[in-house]
Amino acid sequence: MTTTPPRTVRSAFADYLRSRWDDAVAAGLDPVARLVYRSNLLGADARITNTGGGNTSSKIAATDPLTGKPVPVLWVKGSGGDLRTATRANFASLYLDQVMSLRDMYARFLERGPKTPAEDAMVGMYPHTTFDRNPTPASIDTPLHGFIPHAHVDHLHPVAVMAIAAAADGPALTREVYGDDVIWTDWQRPGFDLGLKLERICREHPNALGVILGGHGLICWADDDRECYERTLALIRRAEDFLNARDDGAPAFGGPRVQPLPEADRRRVLVDVLPWLRGRVSRDATTAAPGGALRQIATVEMRDAVLEFVNSRDAQRLAELGTSCPDHFLRTKIKPLYLDWDPQAEDAAALKSKLEAGLARYRTDYAEYYARHKRADSPAMRRSSPSVILIPGIGLVAWGKSKSESRTTAEFYCAAIGVMHGAERVSRYTALDPQEAFDIEYWLLEDAKLKRLPPE
Ligand SMILES: [Zn+2]
């Protein structure tokens, strides 16, 4: 741990990375409950992983209800579950041998790799490998866990590690931070092929502790569950210590472009603008949802790290690049709406007219993005309104169809700010290629994940 004094919220001492594992608690749990316990501990802090993001697994011996014989079972967090609140019901259970045998089926396809019909066909096979009629659907990350030849696997989206994963020279930084302990692999969307790649990395680097998934996150493993948990924390700590050691005290994001408004003024502007803005954001002519489904709730985030970003010189450029982790932009959309408003020189009326113009421009951009990248079988265009609006001097306003959804969106963009902050400190922040981002945003499987959210 460095001895740099805390400068901002982000560089405060990493108490969130302190191990909270209690052997006395774990000892009283069966192996699946220990997996739930580990998952809840990992999910407890948004800097370790975002709401609903990341997954964990354990390969556990069980008695096969069909034969009465022992079989290895892969327990892996299912689609749509959240680590912090996960219970046993959020984990899929699959016959490990059958999951492994899918490699032979996959190998028989002539064309293989991400976005091929072969890869989609494998997803359709997971339900056939279900152990003990467990109704929890397996996620698209299942092969990432199944093919790694270790008993326990954690896959997370930690802010400090994603800063390395989203840096322009991520591979070199990974070497610098981790030496041979962690292996870099370029961005590839999760799926069967990425699982095979991880299996190969484990074979070629038997002493490696984990892998950085470029533009995405961290995956690591161990044969003991507590060790897996502690290793995840240790690897995040190494990334965080590296970023902190590079903190030379220079202002982040190119320094401030505008000063924050005093809190009372911020509130005054928000009271004036928010109800009006809510009406504007909720009226989205591009999608016709039945039953008033367009009504939006706002969450305003004004913490120091957010103000430092929205007030900065680099905010506009970075916001335009968009977010990097695939989990993030499902919520935050490809990019936020940044407003070029000067809180010292302009008033609330000017803010409103800039919002009006900004929303119109954003919707046009979004429709263009959809038209440019859509494929023959893409789902219809989603709402074209921004889900995050950045206002210099004030903070960020996140939108969702419920309080909880807008709060989660705000949490995701706060994480994205942390990622950009770290990446820009040690390198240059890069976002995902827009076609890759589109393919994730409109991927039928991810679409299914959103559809599983409860109806209005
Ligand atoms: Zn992930």
Side-chain angles (χ1 to χ4, degrees):
M1 186 139 315
T2 71
T3 50
T4 321
R7 191 173 63 89
T8 65
V9 173
R10 279 176 310 257
S11 52
F13 273 129
D15 186 58
Y16 76 99
L17 294 173
R18 189 170 52 79
S19 171
R20 283 162 171 79
W21 187 279
D22 185 342
D23 270 330
V25 173
L29 303 172
D30 71 43
V32 179
R34 287 173 72 106
L35 170 60
V36 173
Y37 175 61
R38 178 173 115 227
S39 307
N40 295 161
L41 292 181
L42 287 169
D45 194 289
R47 287 163 291 188
I48 297 178
T49 207
N50 51 287
T51 300
N55 29 58
T56 47
S57 67
S58 293
K59 301 175 182 87
I60 296 168
T63 303
D64 189 345
L66 292 172
T67 65
K69 296 201 170 95
V71 282
V73 174
L74 172 64
W75 286 85
V76 55
K77 196 204 84 177
S79 191
D82 170 53
L83 290 178
R84 183 174 63 84
T85 56
T87 65
R88 191 180 285 250
N90 293 104
F91 286 82
S93 56
L94 310 169
Y95 284 100
L96 181 61
D97 294 345
Q98 294 189 10
V99 171
M100 299 304 279
S101 75
L102 293 176
R103 293 175 303 174
D104 300 332
M105 185 186 282
Y106 183 74
R108 288 197 290 273
F109 280 86
L110 293 177
E111 197 199 346
R112 296 183 295 271
K115 303 181 195 176
T116 60
E119 194 162 275
D120 288 347
M122 292 303 103
V123 177
M125 289 296 121
Y126 303 151
H128 293 286
T129 69
T130 303
F131 171 80
D132 203 19
R133 304 174 67 199
N134 182 342
T136 304
S139 86
I140 51 171
D141 287 341
T142 298
L144 279 57
H145 292 263
F147 300 160
I148 288 177
H150 295 277
H152 307 280
V153 177
D154 292 338
H155 161 55
L156 302 164
H157 308 141
V159 170
V161 176
M162 278 172 48
I164 309 289
D169 46 0
L173 289 172
T174 300
R175 280 220 131 260
E176 202 177 334
V177 177
Y178 296 111
D180 293 329
D181 290 345
V182 173
I183 310 298
W184 169 273
T185 182
D186 286 338
W187 159 258
Q188 178 174 326
R189 82 171 175 184
F192 206 83
D193 205 75
L194 186 57
L196 293 175
K197 205 175 244 178
L198 291 169
E199 182 182 30
R200 207 155 50 234
I201 288 174
C202 289
R203 198 166 51 232
E204 289 166 3
H205 304 272
N207 296 322
L209 308 176
V211 167
I212 288 201
L213 304 168
H216 181 171
L218 174 70
I219 189 158
C220 70
W221 50 77
D223 287 318
D224 174 81
D225 53 0
R226 177 175 183 167
E227 194 179 324
C228 192
Y229 167 75
E230 308 271 4
R231 183 171 290 177
T232 292
L233 297 184
L235 293 179
I236 301 171
R237 197 175 296 122
R238 281 166 76 173
E240 181 145 322
D241 286 351
F242 175 78
L243 298 175
N244 286 340
R246 291 287 194 94
D247 183 0
D248 57 4
F253 303 122
R257 184 178 68 80
V258 301
Q259 295 305 313
L261 283 179
E263 191 169 342
D265 290 344
R266 267 183 261 154
R267 294 196 180 278
R268 191 178 41 73
V269 173
L270 285 169
V271 165
D272 183 356
V273 169
L274 264 189
W276 170 88
L277 180 58
R278 180 170 176 241
R280 288 294 189 278
V281 170
S282 299
R283 248 195 327 266
D284 192 324
T286 46
T287 47
L294 300 177
R295 245 175 300 163
Q296 297 281 298
I297 307 281
T299 292
V300 179
E301 215 9 294
M302 302 194 286
R303 69 176 81 169
D304 290 350
V306 169
L307 285 170
E308 181 184 40
F309 178 70
V310 298
N311 295 345
S312 73
R313 284 179 209 286
D314 292 343
Q316 185 158 18
R317 169 180 66 84
L318 290 167
E320 190 63 28
L321 288 176
T323 49
S324 56
C325 179
D327 248 43
H328 286 180
F329 54 70
L330 278 181
R331 296 278 192 168
T332 63
K333 302 193 91 99
I334 179 79
K335 62 178 182 184
L337 167 60
Y338 171 87
L339 284 178
D340 184 14
W341 180 66
D342 186 334
Q344 275 76 40
E346 295 178 287
D347 61 6
L351 177 57
K352 281 185 185 171
S353 77
K354 289 198 166 175
L355 280 163
E356 192 95 79
L359 286 173
R361 193 181 61 242
Y362 189 96
R363 287 169 177 150
T364 308
D365 281 2
Y366 190 81
E368 273 173 26
Y369 156 78
Y370 178 84
R372 201 172 325 120
H373 301 295
K374 73 171 177 189
R375 298 176 187 273
D377 57 350
S378 292
M381 186 169 89
R382 300 213 181 96
R383 289 171 51 78
S384 62
S385 297
S387 63
V388 176
I389 300 180
L390 305 176
I391 309 176
I394 291 188
L396 79 77
V397 188
W399 300 92
K401 62 179 160 41
S402 63
K403 176 71 191 156
S404 139
E405 191 181 284
S406 70
R407 202 164 41 209
T408 306
T409 299
E411 173 210 307
F412 279 31
Y413 204 78
C414 288
I417 290 172
V419 171
M420 292 185 278
H421 180 269
E424 289 276 309
R425 187 187 278 171
V426 294
S427 173
R428 188 168 48 79
Y429 169 76
T430 57
L432 267 193
D433 168 74
Q435 183 68 55
E436 283 295 311
F438 178 89
D439 288 343
I440 290 279
E441 188 180 347
Y442 282 90
W443 192 4
L444 298 171
L445 300 163
E446 294 288 346
D447 198 44
K449 185 166 165 179
L450 291 178
K451 277 192 192 127
R452 266 198 290 274
L453 293 172
E456 301 268 317

